[in-house]
Each structure stands twice: as structure tokens, then as C-alpha cells.
Amino acid sequence: MQDPVPSASASGTFQIAGDLPVHRLGYGTMRLVGDGAWGEPADPAECHRVLRRAVELGVNLIDTADAYGPEIAERLIAEALHPYPSGLVIATKGGITRQGPAKTEYVGRAGYLIQCVEMSLRRLKLERIDLYQLHRIDPRTPLEESLGALKRVQEQGKIRHIGLSEVTPAEIEDARKIVPIVSVQNRYSLADRRHEETLKYSEREGIAFLPWYPMAGGKQLKPDHPSAQALTALAARHSASIAQLSLAWLLQKSPVLLPIPGTSKVAHLEENVAAATLKLNVEEWVEIEGAFKA
Ligand SMILES: NC(=O)c1ccc[n+]([C@@H]2O[C@H](COP(=O)([O-])OP(=O)(O)OC[C@H]3O[C@@H](n4cnc5c(N)ncnc54)[C@H](OP(=O)(O)O)[C@@H]3O)[C@@H](O)[C@H]2O)c1
């Protein structure tokens, strides 16, 4: 029997680095762990179901980080999905340490990052990580040291491609003098366009842009959000939800955007993946943009 939920394949395919094809609508794992990305999940069995359902629904780009838990999100991925189906791209990150709920410190020292890669390989039960993202540039460590370390583990075959997170075009340019950069992961949504320049740069250079907080961390979906009334009316016309509208906007905004919405619930995952089929016409596009004008 056909699955009543459309497949993530309806969002189209993007070739990361030209050799890593993924369906554009992915899934982010930060919400699987405790609040503030700290500690065990309230319902681990539901986390496993979310991950398995994502793959069943054609999601083949799963974003994670050693800092989610810490370590817990990567462990859940391996528990739920290993041995991995072919074509599944697990994109992880290193370079953020966590001292408690929502408490972080950036560490980009070479020895630390090399250990991060080794530990992610071990937890994810992988021999090579398809996409390894430097979670943050550490202002106290020269970029040459951080990326030089990742370059070395790449040469050893332990990571395939390297990406960055929360970066400007100038920072990407600096990074590319050291090592090829295939992706960026910056905060970006209908409600938050601070990284418009990085998006334009990514489009020009054919770099994948994974927008984090694609639904403003859930705030954009709440009835008290300033745009709620306009979004609710527009969503109703499509028999859709605000979450679906928010994701459809990202998918239509730029072909390099690969949204990675996060959820801890199968019902929300199914709703989000179904956004892959939602298309906005020109009038609706103007309307939705208008709802977010200051
Ligand atoms: N690079 C970075 O620095 C960075 C930083 C933050 C996040 N990330 C990545 O980006 C991913 C996405 O960001 P995010 O998860 O923080 O924010 P998000 O996707 O914008 O929003 C997630 C929030 O929305 C809720 N939600 C999701 N789908 C929903 C639906 N259909 N209906 C109602 N509520 C819904 C979730 O709660 P429920 O669990 O109840 O569904 C959760 O509270 C993360 O998972 C992580 O992989 C990266």
C-alpha cells in the first residue's frame, strides 16, 4: 500500500560537492535530546521511531552534532539506523563543547577536533563521515589550525567533505584557501534573514546552505507570533500548516537551501516532510513575504 505521506524526494535533489546526492528536505536531530541540547530524551523509543520514519519517508540528509546531548543524538542515530541504508548522508559537526543546558564554548584546537572526528566515527559506527561541519570558528584558535586538522583527517579518508557553520562570505573565502568547503549551516528562516549575503554567496558558488532554525526554533509556529494571522490564513488555503508553509518557502527561496527541520515527534516529522509537495504561487509569495516585513 502506498504511504499516505509524500516522500522527501518531492523536494528535489541537490548534489553536495557534486558527488553526494540528497533530497533537499532533510531532518535535524537537535530536538531529539533534552532541553537546551542537554541530556537524555524524555522518550527514547519515539526518537528511534522518528529517525526510522524519516528514512522511510525518503529523508536521506540527517544533520547532527557531537554537541547534541552531548553525544546522545549521534548515539540515537546509530541505535535506530545502523546498518545504514545506502545513500543516507549523516552530516555531523564538532567544535562546540557543552557545559550544561544551552551552555557552550567553542574549541577549535587541532588535537580536540581530531578527537571529535574519531569519537563521532565510533558513536555513529561509520568508517567515513560524508559531511563534517566545523560547528563554529573558534576565535581563539587560528583557522589554519582548525581546518588544517580537518584536512588531515580528510586525507586519511575519515571524512569525505568539510562544511562550516555560522559564517560570513569572507570567512568562507578564508576557509577555502585552506581546504575545499562544500556546505554552510547558518541560521535562516522566514523570520530571520541575517545571513542573506551568505545565501547569495552559496548560490553563486554552488555550496549547500543548511538553514538551521528553519521554523525559528518553533517560535514562528505559535499563535502569538506577529505573523500568525497572515500565515494561518495562507496555510488554510493550502489545507496546510504554518510549519509546512515555512518549509515550502525555504525550498522555493533558493535551490541551494537544504532545510533540516527538527522534531522529537513522528506526527510533526510526517507533517514537515509533506511540505515537500507544497508550492506557493507568485501572489502567495508576495503575501508571505509581506507577513514578515517589519
Ligand atoms: N549549526 C548550528 O549552530 C545549529 C544550531 C541549532 C540547530 N541546528 C540544527 O538545525 C536543526 C533545526 O533547528 P531546530 O530543530 O532547533 O529548530 P526548528 O526546526 O526551527 O524548530 C524545531 C521546533 O519546532 C517544533 N516543531 C517541529 N515541527 C513541528 C510541527 N510540524 N508542528 C509544531 N511544532 C513543530 C519542535 O518541537 P517538537 O519536538 O515538539 O516537534 C521544536 O521545538 C536542529 O535540529 C539541528 O540539527 C544547528
Side-chain angles (χ1 to χ4, degrees), residues 4-8 10 25 57 240 244 247-248 251 268-279:
V5 181
S7 163
L25 188 53
L57 291 175
Q244 290 171 328
L247 296 170
L251 289 169
H268 285 170
L269 172 85
E270 291 181 344
E271 185 182 319
N272 297 346
V273 172
T277 56
L278 179 58
K279 299 281 179 290

Side-chain angles (χ1 to χ4, degrees), residues 30-31 63 136 165 185 215 217 262-265 268 272:
M30 193 181 81
R31 303 285 168 169
D63 179 71
R136 286 293 183 279
S165 179
Q185 185 171 141
M215 299 175 295
T263 179
S264 55
K265 300 180 180 73
H268 285 170
N272 297 346

Side-chain angles (χ1 to χ4, degrees), residues 19-177:
D19 70 357
L20 210 53
V22 293
H23 296 146
R24 291 183 54 218
L25 188 53
Y27 168 67
T29 59
M30 193 181 81
R31 303 285 168 169
L32 289 179
V33 304
D35 283 348
W38 182 260
E40 293 291 337
D43 186 351
E46 179 72 353
C47 295
H48 292 156
R49 283 193 291 271
V50 167
L51 287 159
R52 291 192 188 115
R53 187 71 177 130
V55 170
E56 224 171 73
L57 291 175
V59 170
N60 57 9
L61 171 62
I62 294 185
D63 179 71
T64 191
D66 59 6
Y68 301 161
E71 303 182 2
I72 296 167
E74 290 186 333
R75 193 197 73 214
L76 289 166
I77 291 171
E79 284 170 1
L81 299 176
H82 188 270
Y84 302 112
S86 84
L88 177 66
V89 172
I90 299 171
T92 193
K93 316 180 205 76
I96 287 189
T97 61
R98 201 172 287 280
Q99 295 76 39
K103 276 197 190 148
T104 56
E105 200 171 308
Y106 309 154
V107 181
R109 300 295 305 273
Y112 174 69
L113 287 179
I114 291 167
Q115 179 182 308
C116 287
V117 172
E118 292 293 346
M119 298 309 286
S120 286
L121 283 167
R122 195 187 289 182
R123 277 188 296 276
L124 288 167
K125 300 187 197 290
L126 282 170
E127 281 172 16
R128 181 175 66 165
I129 292 163
D130 280 328
L131 177 59
Y132 195 85
Q133 305 153 99
L134 181 62
H135 210 155
R136 286 293 183 279
I137 292 174
D138 172 4
R140 292 169 306 182
T141 304
L143 192 60
E144 291 75 12
E145 177 176 340
S146 302
L147 290 179
L150 294 185
K151 189 176 177 198
R152 284 204 297 284
V153 286
Q154 185 177 43
E155 284 162 359
Q156 290 163 4
K158 293 178 179 176
I159 59 183
R160 184 160 165 185
H161 295 300
I162 297 172
L164 302 171
S165 179
E166 282 303 281
V167 283
T168 62
E171 286 169 328
I172 308 172
E173 293 269 294
D174 287 346
R176 292 173 97 184
K177 289 177 193 142

